[in-house]
DNA sequence: AACAATAATTAGAATAATTCTTGATTGGGT
DNA sequence: ACCCAATCAAGAATTATTCTAATTATTGTT
């Protein structure tokens, strides 16, 4: 017996610590869920998936873990109108396009070399700390 | 006596109908509040102000009126994270900058001639129906 | 290894914005 | 004046999220 193989599912090894945040079992599982299926789930969707591997996890813990990871800059929150917050492990600066036909949320990158201040008439002296760009529309199938 | 002067406050005359929506007394009052003080109030803030002139108005009515005006494209909803929706009568395509020091929300216009698709790597074929750009930051006072 | 101190987790209660339901009121058209 | 549809008001219901308090896990220390 060479390997302990504690869990055969793990295609991804999550470190014990990320960005100064201790990655507990719950946080690892939640982070794994976010990076393995990048479909911008809500806290409740994460909760339902997390129960497969951690049957005793609570929704409050899912909220706590997501919040901790957001605070440490490990993941980002995504908002559409006032719908439930969604979570995204993509740390590139990017926006989101919500396809109203399919429900799919696409990450939308900036074109290379463009900066928001080239495009927007910001108040003089404004220092931007956070950006959220959300688009809604359709992708017609020809 | 020339004028009936039914209400001395009204610097603004609101028409009986806008964009196909019949402007009832409640809707007129709410719309007037939005255009007279463009500080992106929440429904509850609108409610409190509306009571000055319509003491019997209910919060549900404020929500109904705001929703009706949003549906008819007379005003826009503005969202920061999952905070209460805010309302804005500025129909130009624009974003919002929330100054975390003062709490003030500034309208942010696009620079002339720029289009979002110049800047963003949209999914091929995407047809945008709605855009929300929200920025958070500070404006340092030197 | 035992211990204390700290951090994380859990379950359920509490909160807050918004929506829904129902009944009353209003307003325009005949 | 009367009818019909639209609007409004009041309060209940809903829902995502946060809070509270008690338990469990982890870390550092002897």
């Amino acid at each position: 017996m060479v390997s302990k193989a504690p869990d055969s599912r793990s295609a991804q090894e999550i470190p014990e610590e990320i960005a100064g945040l201790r990655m507990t079992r719950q946080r690892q599982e939640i982070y794994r869920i976010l990076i393995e299926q990048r479909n911008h789930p809500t806290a409740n969707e994460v909760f339902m998936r997390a129960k497969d591997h951690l049957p005793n996890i609570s929704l409050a813990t899912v909220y706590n873990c997501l919040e901790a990871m957001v605070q440490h800059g490990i993941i980002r929150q995504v908002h559409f109108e006032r719908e439930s917050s969604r979570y995204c492990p993509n740390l590139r600066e990017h926006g989101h396009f919500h396809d109203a036909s399919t429900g799919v949320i696409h990450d939308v990158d900036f074109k290379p070399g463009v900066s928001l201040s080239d495009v927007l008439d910001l108040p003089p002296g404004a220092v931007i700390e956070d950006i959220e760009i959300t688009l809604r529309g359709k992708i017609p199938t020809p």
Side-chain angles (χ1 to χ4, degrees), chain A residues 70-130:
Chain A
V70 169
Q71 287 310 317
H72 284 75
I74 300 171
I75 63 175
R76 298 201 47 167
Q77 262 184 329
V78 178
H79 299 98
F80 287 93
E81 316 261 306
R82 264 190 49 97
E83 294 172 12
S84 305
S85 295
R86 297 177 173 275
Y87 296 88
C88 174
N90 177 356
L91 296 179
R92 263 177 291 128
E93 192 162 278
H94 69 287
H96 293 96
F97 176 85
H98 180 247
D99 184 340
S101 313
T102 63
V104 175
I105 295 168
H106 301 263
D107 284 3
V108 175
D109 284 302
F110 287 95
K111 293 203 170 170
V114 296
S115 138
L116 259 202
S117 44
D118 298 339
V119 176
L120 295 178
D121 233 337
L122 294 172
V127 177
I128 296 177
E129 287 165 8
D130 192 67

Side-chain angles (χ1 to χ4, degrees), chain A residues 47-63:
Chain A
F47 175 51
M48 293 190 299
R49 289 210 244 154
K51 280 195 284 197
D52 296 345
H53 294 111
L54 299 174
N56 295 323
I57 197 171
S58 78
L59 180 56
T61 297
V62 172
Y63 273 105

